[in-house]
């Protein structure tokens, strides 16, 4: 923990805090994630399970979705903390993003242009692994591979304008 940048230490603590909001009644395993944007904003996520087990969503999905919903995928770092909170309690194991989440983080890295730092932590924050997503997901497939890593900012502006037009039409109907 002490070797981490202060901002990354804070991000790890945010991820631990977010794990308190996990909906994890099937696994008893709570995961929290905290994504930091290049502008310093932090978005939290927690795992969300379901009686139909395969529908469960990871904490990282939740945090990245929250970031995107705020208007940008401009991530620079994401911290992940996981712990088993029902017996046998486990808090000393480093939890890393699953394969699907690595793919989501990689997509964001090609949109943000930042090799996103992934801070994988044990819940006691004694064990922390810091790796760029390019190491966690080598030879990854992403938007750059299909020539679409530069288009989204312009498309997002187009989308925003389209929504403004639809909203203006609603006002005219009122
Ligand atoms: Zn995952």
């Amino acid at each position: 923990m002490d070797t981490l940048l202060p901002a990354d230490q804070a991000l790890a603590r945010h991820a631990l805090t977010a794990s308190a909001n996990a909906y994890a009644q099937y696994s008893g395993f709570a995961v929290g994630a905290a994504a930091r944007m290049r502008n310093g904003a932090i978005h939290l996520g927690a795992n969300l399970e379901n009686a139909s087990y395969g529908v469960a969503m990871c904490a990282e999905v939740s945090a990245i979705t929250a970031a995107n919903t705020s208007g940008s995928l401009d991530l620079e770092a994401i911290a992940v903390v996981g712990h088993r909170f029902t017996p046998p309690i486990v808090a000393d194991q480093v939890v890393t993003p699953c394969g699907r989440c690595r793919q989501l983080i990689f997509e964001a890295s090609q949109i943000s242009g930042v090799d996103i730092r992934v801070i994988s932590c044990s819940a006691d924050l004694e064990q922390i692994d810091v790796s760029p997503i390019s190491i966690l997901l080598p030879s990854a497939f992403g938007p750059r591979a299909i020539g679409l890593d530069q288009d989204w900012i312009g498309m997002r502006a187009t989308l925003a304008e389209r929504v403004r037009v639809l909203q203006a039409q609603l006002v005219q109907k009122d």
Side-chain angles (χ1 to χ4, degrees), residues 40-110:
I42 291 172
H43 299 282
L44 304 181
N47 56 329
L48 180 78
E49 296 181 345
N50 193 280
S52 178
Y53 281 26
V55 181
M57 276 183 285
C58 297
E60 301 93 314
V61 174
S62 176
I64 292 169
T65 299
N68 180 60
T69 305
S70 81
S72 152
L73 274 176
D74 207 17
L75 273 64
E76 64 172 17
I78 184 166
V80 185
V81 170
H83 53 104
R84 190 174 165 82
F85 62 94
T86 55
I89 287 175
V90 177
D92 61 355
Q93 297 296 309
V94 171
V95 170
T96 58
C98 76
R100 182 172 187 264
C101 287
R102 293 178 193 208
Q103 182 70 33
L104 285 170
I105 295 166
F106 184 75
E107 178 91 11
S109 79
Q110 291 212 321

Side-chain angles (χ1 to χ4, degrees), residues 129-149:
D129 175 71
V130 181
S131 301
I133 189 59
S134 63
I135 296 295
L136 291 182
L137 194 65
S139 304
F141 176 81
R144 190 171 300 155
I146 48 178
L148 289 176
D149 58 317

Side-chain angles (χ1 to χ4, degrees), residues 1-19:
M1 184 74 166
D2 294 343
T3 58
L4 286 185
L5 299 169
D8 289 352
Q9 288 185 25
L11 203 63
R13 290 176 193 273
H14 278 298
L16 176 60
T17 300
S19 74

